[in-house]
Amino acid sequence: MTIKLTYFDVEGRGEWIRLALLLSKTDFEDVRVEFSDWPALKPTFPGGMLPVMQIDNGPILTQSTAILRMVGKTYSDTLYPADCEYAIDEAMGIADDMVHGWEPCEFFAYFYTKMGHPDDFIGRDEAKEVIAKLRTSWINNELPGYAKRITEMLEKNGGWLATKDGPSIADCKLIPLLRTFTRGHCEHVPADTLESYPALIDYIKRFCALDPIKGWYTTGLF
Ligand SMILES: N[C@@H](CCC(=O)N[C@@H](CS)C(=O)NCC(=O)O)C(=O)O
């Protein structure tokens, strides 16, 4: 069996699937598209979006969450077990809310026209101010509520989001987003953003110390 996962050379939605494949010890080809090559490649992918996955040269599978669920169910007994499906789906919904809330702040350059700004807005000083305000405001006003909820879930589930015996696909979905706040790669998002949330720091470290993940990351908390 050959599995080919294609995404950009960033964490984000593709990373959810990479983590699930790593945890399930499933070999895969980790194809990373350069952003400079993307305009030419975009029309060759269904919907013009990534990630996509292909198994044994079969059909191109799209939609990150659908692929994540399929990987969890097909290649692992523990990442998406039937008896925890609701708890995992609920936790994935919370992670999705966070991702959808944060994405326009980090990837403003991709979202700004959808937010009603004119095409040439991104080059203006005003855009820099909006980006700073969006990111800082999300960290100050939205993150605390999510951090509280995640901390409660971790306490309830022995250190994992939804399953007591180890990580699930919900953890695979949340960890890359939480790592965003520890990597210092994004302006106005200091690497110590999670300093006031020790349970989240401990959670990221614990996940990254799992055998199949150890050594995978070289930036941020691990
Ligand atoms: N619902 C899709 C969304 C995929 C998506 O938004 N992909 C982004 C990267 S995270 C993309 O391909 N952007 C490039 C583009 O739209 O040109 C999924 O979850 O797979």
Side-chain angles (χ1 to χ4, degrees), residues 10-63:
V10 293
E11 297 190 19
R13 287 164 195 267
E15 188 75 1
W16 309 341
I17 304 163
R18 292 184 191 123
L19 292 178
L21 288 165
L22 288 169
L23 286 177
S24 63
K25 302 195 171 125
T26 308
D27 284 338
F28 66 104
E29 191 186 345
D30 187 11
V31 180
R32 293 173 181 241
V33 172
E34 295 292 336
F35 285 115
S36 54
D37 295 335
W38 180 240
L41 291 173
K42 182 176 166 80
T44 67
F45 287 95
M49 282 199 254
L50 298 177
V52 300
M53 189 160 129
Q54 204 176 10
I55 305 169
D56 286 338
N57 293 319
I60 305 278
L61 308 177
T62 67
Q63 292 299 331

Side-chain angles (χ1 to χ4, degrees), residues 13 23 27 29 56 61 72 87 95 98 101 136 142 165 168-169 194 197 207:
R13 287 164 195 267
L23 286 177
D27 284 338
E29 191 186 345
D56 286 338
L61 308 177
M98 263 183 107
T136 309
E142 303 292 327
D165 295 333
S168 69
I169 53 171
L194 297 183
Y197 311 113
F207 185 96

